[in-house]
């Protein structure tokens, strides 16, 4: 049985479900803080390549085996897959008492992990508010990023500690506020991308070469100025 949180040595065996842009980066950040990455799940050629690049030598394991071996399971999967994954693993009694289970979906709080909690797991919803590239450059960017943490009050310090170990700044977001939080994240992400694409498209049409490089300082300073004016 996995030790209860107050009995832990502080170093966890971490399993990562999902080899998209987020999971391997968070795993690498936790490895840098001294945690052991026991394995990662990956299926596609791109995900296998990404896992090997960011977490070289880490075993590729089936999800049930990964969950069985891990004290902390990171579910870095798309929003559309999370609920079914948690419920499916609960149906096979894969979750373990005292095991930490963390998902990275912006919209959901800890409630989506209820099937795991029913088997004794400790649920955490931790979302890094940054746009990931899936490359090592993201590790440096984590240092200046904030993470939304949603968890029951007694285990909030665990979520906050994990964020600090990854180099980020934890921000507590209430369970009921996660949809609004997700909307804000989606708005900022999609609006920024759309404006840049529109502006670079206009410049390309008039023959400007490398319009992205031309606009980069302008966009950065404009966004920074707007953020400074924000309350």
């Amino acid at each position: 049985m996995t030790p209860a949180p107050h009995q832990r040595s502080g170093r966890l065996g971490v399993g990562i479900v999902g080899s998209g842009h987020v999971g391997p980066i968070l795993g690498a950040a936790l490895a840098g803080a001294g945690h052991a990455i026991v394995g990662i799940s990956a299926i596609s050629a791109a995900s296998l390549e990404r896992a090997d690049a960011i977490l070289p030598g880490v075993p590729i394991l089936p999800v049930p085996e990964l969950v069985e071996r891990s004290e902390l399971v990171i579910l870095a999967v798309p929003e559309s897959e999370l609920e079914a994954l948690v419920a499916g693993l609960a149906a096979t009694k894969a979750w373990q008492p005292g095991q930490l289970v963390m998902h990275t979906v912006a919209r959901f709080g800890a409630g989506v992990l209820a099937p795991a909690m029913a088997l004794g797991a400790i649920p955490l919803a931790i979302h890094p508010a940054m746009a990931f590239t899936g490359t090592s450059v993201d590790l440096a960017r984590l240092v200046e990023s904030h993470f939304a943490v949603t968890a029951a009050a007694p285990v909030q310090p665990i979520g906050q500690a994990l964020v600090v170990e990854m180099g980020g700044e934890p921000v507590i977001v209430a369970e009921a506020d996660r949809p609004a939080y997700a909307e804000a994240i989606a708005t900022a992400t999609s609006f920024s991308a759309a404006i840049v694409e529109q502006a670079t498209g206009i410049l390309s049409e008039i023959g400007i070469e490398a319009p992205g490089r031309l606009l980069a300082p302008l966009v950065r300073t404009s966004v920074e100025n707007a953020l400074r004016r924000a309350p």
Side-chain angles (χ1 to χ4, degrees):
M1 180 183 296
T2 305
H6 65 278
Q7 297 172 316
R8 297 181 189 278
S9 66
R11 302 302 91 186
L12 301 171
V14 181
I16 304 162
V17 179
S19 295
H21 287 176
V22 178
I25 299 301
L26 298 187
L30 288 171
H35 298 287
I37 309 302
V38 301
I40 188 168
S41 68
I43 298 174
S44 69
S47 64
L48 288 166
E49 182 178 348
R50 187 180 301 111
D52 183 62
I54 303 299
L55 296 169
V58 170
I60 305 298
L61 299 175
V63 173
E65 183 178 352
L66 194 62
V67 172
E68 181 182 0
R69 292 188 180 190
S70 303
E71 296 171 288
L72 166 63
V73 179
I74 299 177
L75 302 176
V77 299
E79 178 182 322
S80 60
E81 299 176 13
L82 180 61
E83 289 183 279
L85 175 62
V86 175
L89 289 167
T92 61
K93 302 293 191 291
W95 302 115
Q96 304 166 55
Q99 182 177 52
L100 296 171
V101 184
M102 163 190 154
H103 79 75
T104 61
V105 173
R107 182 166 300 279
F108 295 135
V112 72
L113 300 173
M117 185 171 63
L119 293 174
I122 300 169
L124 302 166
I126 298 178
H127 175 262
M130 67 173 265
F132 284 75
T133 66
T135 65
S136 58
V137 70
D138 292 335
L139 288 169
R141 292 176 176 172
L142 284 178
V143 176
E144 56 190 35
S145 296
H146 288 68
F147 289 59
V149 176
T150 304
V155 295
Q156 278 181 358
I158 298 175
Q160 292 172 296
L162 288 171
V163 170
V164 171
E165 287 187 318
M166 289 185 280
E169 179 73 24
V171 177
I172 300 298
V173 177
E175 184 84 20
D177 292 335
R178 289 291 287 224
Y181 165 80
E183 181 181 359
I185 295 297
T187 299
T189 302
S190 59
F191 182 77
S192 300
I195 291 299
V196 169
E197 288 172 5
Q198 181 180 359
T200 53
I202 293 170
L203 292 178
S204 293
E205 289 175 359
I206 62 173
I208 300 294
E209 295 184 3
R213 288 204 297 271
L214 184 153
L215 289 175
L218 172 65
V219 171
R220 290 194 191 100
T221 53
S222 296
V223 170
E224 288 171 359
N225 290 341
L227 291 172
R228 288 194 190 98
R229 293 193 296 269

